[in-house]
Amino acid sequence: TSPFAWLRTRFYYLLIRLYFDQEFSIEEFTRGAKQAFSVVSKLLSQRKLDLLEELVSAEVLQVLKEKISLLPDSHRDALAADIDAIMYTTEGDVRIYYDDDGRKFVSILMCFWYLNGANLPDEVPSAAKVFQIVFGDENTKEKKHLLTANYEFQREFTEGAKPDWTITRIEHPRLLE
């Protein structure tokens, strides 16, 4: 992350605390985002899309239903991220905006890097290379892939709105395209 982007996101966190939620903590948000990412990615992998209705926006869910049905099993398996296999998490873009009706929203893009042992082919879609990590010695080799995912979380802060974060974008590059 560039110093400018880091400073900009910290400024947005200050605005969120000042104008929307005095209790907002990026550390607490990140913990919750990691848990949500792990749960949602596992449900995607298992094709249990009906269980995502409270967590994912209707628009995203519709797109996922179409994409998941076309995925090969190896790619579907690679979507699942165990919370202990998440190696690195960082915030991407943070946005604060108002819609035409005056409703207030905050949107935070989270980027996750996770290890997954799915049996992916060496060449994945779009000819992009996925990092592979080998654990153990020659007799007990275990190959894992370092994969990335981007999930955008959105919350409405209009008075009277439910205080829930909803996932409004799900990207698993090279897997869910």
Side-chain angles (χ1 to χ4, degrees), residues 42 122 131 176:
K42 287 177 186 175
D122 287 337
F131 292 103
L176 193 60

mmCIF file of all heavy atoms in Angstrom, residues 42 122 131 176:
data_model
loop_
_atom_site.group_PDB
_atom_site.id
_atom_site.type_symbol
_atom_site.label_atom_id
_atom_site.label_comp_id
_atom_site.label_asym_id
_atom_site.label_seq_id
_atom_site.Cartn_x
_atom_site.Cartn_y
_atom_site.Cartn_z
ATOM 1 N N LYS A 42 -16.536 -20.758 2.071
ATOM 2 C CA LYS A 42 -16.843 -22.183 2.253
ATOM 3 C C LYS A 42 -18.237 -22.515 1.723
ATOM 4 O O LYS A 42 -18.436 -23.556 1.088
ATOM 5 C CB LYS A 42 -16.735 -22.566 3.723
ATOM 6 C CG LYS A 42 -15.310 -22.632 4.217
ATOM 7 C CD LYS A 42 -15.271 -22.946 5.696
ATOM 8 C CE LYS A 42 -13.861 -22.881 6.221
ATOM 9 N NZ LYS A 42 -13.823 -23.079 7.684
ATOM 10 N N ASP A 122 -1.969 -26.610 -13.449
ATOM 11 C CA ASP A 122 -0.853 -25.656 -13.493
ATOM 12 C C ASP A 122 -1.233 -24.389 -14.231
ATOM 13 O O ASP A 122 -0.814 -23.306 -13.877
ATOM 14 C CB ASP A 122 0.377 -26.285 -14.147
ATOM 15 C CG ASP A 122 1.020 -27.306 -13.227
ATOM 16 O OD1 ASP A 122 0.815 -27.210 -11.999
ATOM 17 O OD2 ASP A 122 1.718 -28.195 -13.732
ATOM 18 N N PHE A 131 0.688 -18.805 -7.213
ATOM 19 C CA PHE A 131 1.830 -19.236 -6.416
ATOM 20 C C PHE A 131 1.554 -20.595 -5.813
ATOM 21 O O PHE A 131 0.478 -20.850 -5.302
ATOM 22 C CB PHE A 131 2.110 -18.241 -5.291
ATOM 23 C CG PHE A 131 2.613 -16.923 -5.770
ATOM 24 C CD1 PHE A 131 1.776 -15.823 -5.825
ATOM 25 C CD2 PHE A 131 3.926 -16.770 -6.169
ATOM 26 C CE1 PHE A 131 2.229 -14.599 -6.270
ATOM 27 C CE2 PHE A 131 4.392 -15.563 -6.621
ATOM 28 C CZ PHE A 131 3.540 -14.471 -6.663
ATOM 29 N N LEU A 176 -13.131 -17.456 -10.085
ATOM 30 C CA LEU A 176 -14.547 -17.121 -10.212
ATOM 31 C C LEU A 176 -14.697 -16.012 -11.235
ATOM 32 O O LEU A 176 -15.010 -14.886 -10.916
ATOM 33 C CB LEU A 176 -15.072 -16.687 -8.843
ATOM 34 C CG LEU A 176 -16.574 -16.580 -8.651
ATOM 35 C CD1 LEU A 176 -17.235 -17.924 -8.902
ATOM 36 C CD2 LEU A 176 -16.886 -16.097 -7.253
#
